[in-house]
Amino acid sequence: MPAPRRYVTDAIVLSRFDLGEADRVLTLITPGHGKLKAIAKGIRRPSSRLGGSLEPFAELSVALARGRTFDVVTEVRVGHAWLRLRDTLEGAATAWYLAELADRSLEERHVAEPQYALLHRAYGLLDAGMAPGRVARWYEMRLADELGQRPEVDRCAECDRVLDPGGQFRWVPPLGGVLCERCPGPAAAHTGLGLEALKVLKAYQRLDIEAIAALRLPDAVEREVEAAMREFMRTALERDPRSLAFLDEVRTRPARRPAPAPQLTAQ
Ligand SMILES: [Zn+2]
């Protein structure tokens, strides 16, 4: 039986780019159809019915008609908008980063229910005001799990010995996690990992989100964990997320200075 020509799905916009005079191509994540590209024809005309609803940071209900290159958006309804997520630039930039990680980790047209649920939850947490860095680390850890690349933080990734808290650790993402001091690892691997950072990585794997939100951590440890997880995701996805440059930039700006909203553009 051929697939129906028209279908309706929940979707979150991951990225978009303008095409021609008035069209826009969107990358959507959907639970049942996975990642897909769709075209919104004429959306940049003031008279467009699709208008402002086909935006990122919202759960949409989208009607699509199958097309040759891209499916065509025929109708959009906003199911749930995470409006407060945009209140801070760091929140919006983090949301963009999470969308990019989802985009990079998914193949088109493969069912993506867990990844969809994960992004949905992360946006809800950002919207509820949870610290963007905590949401990002929580999301990275669970996305790595979904990719079958859960970081090893309990045993040495090379010799499989249980890590001794009194030992020295190195963080070696190409090997899947932490190395003990006895294992040489690859020649270039000299990224030390402090015991506190290792404990926090374990906490991200074991604790629920409420417990993670309540952790009190020194800035230096948060930064170490951030660097470790970013490096891990870069290795897992085999590329540098482009949104990180923007995220790092907004965090160094004075809080009140107005800045343009992040543009979700694709290559
Ligand atoms: Zn070892």
Side-chain angles (χ1 to χ4, degrees):
M1 204 175 79
R5 216 184 103 65
R6 188 179 179 279
Y7 62 102
V8 179
T9 176
D10 289 342
I12 299 172
V13 174
L14 295 179
S15 66
R16 57 189 180 180
F17 63 89
D18 291 344
L19 187 72
E21 288 199 354
D23 300 344
R24 183 168 286 157
V25 173
L26 303 122
T27 302
L28 305 174
I29 181 173
T30 70
H33 306 271
K35 181 173 85 167
L36 60 95
K37 284 205 166 62
I39 187 163
K41 290 187 174 165
I43 192 173
R44 284 147 59 215
R45 294 201 181 94
S47 58
S48 169
R49 281 181 307 114
L50 301 173
S53 34
L54 205 49
E55 294 289 318
F57 314 153
E59 180 169 54
L60 310 172
S61 173
V62 184
L64 296 144
R66 298 215 185 261
R68 232 177 314 170
T69 312
F70 304 120
D71 288 359
V72 181
V73 178
T74 58
E75 238 181 287
V76 185
R77 203 167 45 74
V78 177
H80 185 89
W82 293 287
L83 293 173
R84 277 166 304 177
L85 175 161
R86 302 156 223 232
D87 283 354
T88 67
L89 267 177
E90 192 185 352
T94 300
W96 183 31
Y97 170 60
L98 304 187
E100 192 182 0
L101 290 183
D103 192 351
R104 300 285 189 235
S105 64
L106 291 170
E107 289 178 58
E108 290 196 22
R109 304 281 178 183
H110 282 65
V111 175
E113 272 173 52
Q115 290 88 344
Y116 184 88
L118 194 54
L119 188 64
H120 192 283
R121 182 87 202 277
Y123 280 3
L125 294 168
L126 287 172
D127 193 59
M130 185 166 162
R134 299 276 172 98
V135 178
R137 301 297 83 74
W138 173 85
Y139 178 88
E140 287 164 334
M141 196 61 96
R142 270 143 197 84
L143 185 63
D145 243 345
E146 289 301 335
L147 294 171
Q149 302 197 41
R150 181 186 175 89
E152 180 54 74
V153 294
D154 295 305
R155 293 169 170 274
C156 171
E158 196 149 274
C159 70
D160 205 38
R161 277 194 199 93
V162 174
L163 296 169
D164 166 14
Q168 304 280 319
F169 316 107
R170 279 164 302 152
W171 184 242
V172 190
L175 293 182
V178 182
L179 282 197
C180 76
E181 59 199 354
R182 296 195 230 178
C183 288
H190 293 293
T191 313
L193 187 73
L195 179 60
E196 287 308 309
L198 177 63
K199 285 183 185 167
V200 174
L201 288 168
K202 289 177 194 241
Y204 272 108
Q205 285 189 348
R206 283 171 200 164
L207 301 183
D208 62 28
I209 193 65
E210 289 76 16
I212 289 169
L215 290 175
R216 302 189 61 147
L217 302 170
D219 281 352
V221 173
E222 298 238 38
R223 281 197 299 273
E224 198 181 348
V225 171
E226 175 179 62
M229 283 310 295
R230 281 186 180 191
E231 197 192 342
F232 193 90
M233 296 313 289
R234 188 185 305 133
T235 306
L237 300 176
E238 296 173 345
R239 61 201 299 175
D240 248 328
R242 296 181 309 133
S243 49
L244 280 180
F246 181 75
L247 177 56
D248 289 341
E249 192 192 332
V250 303
R251 289 200 306 196
T252 59
R253 282 184 202 178
R256 285 170 189 281
R257 190 173 139 196
Q263 271 294 310
L264 297 175
T265 53
Q267 281 161 325

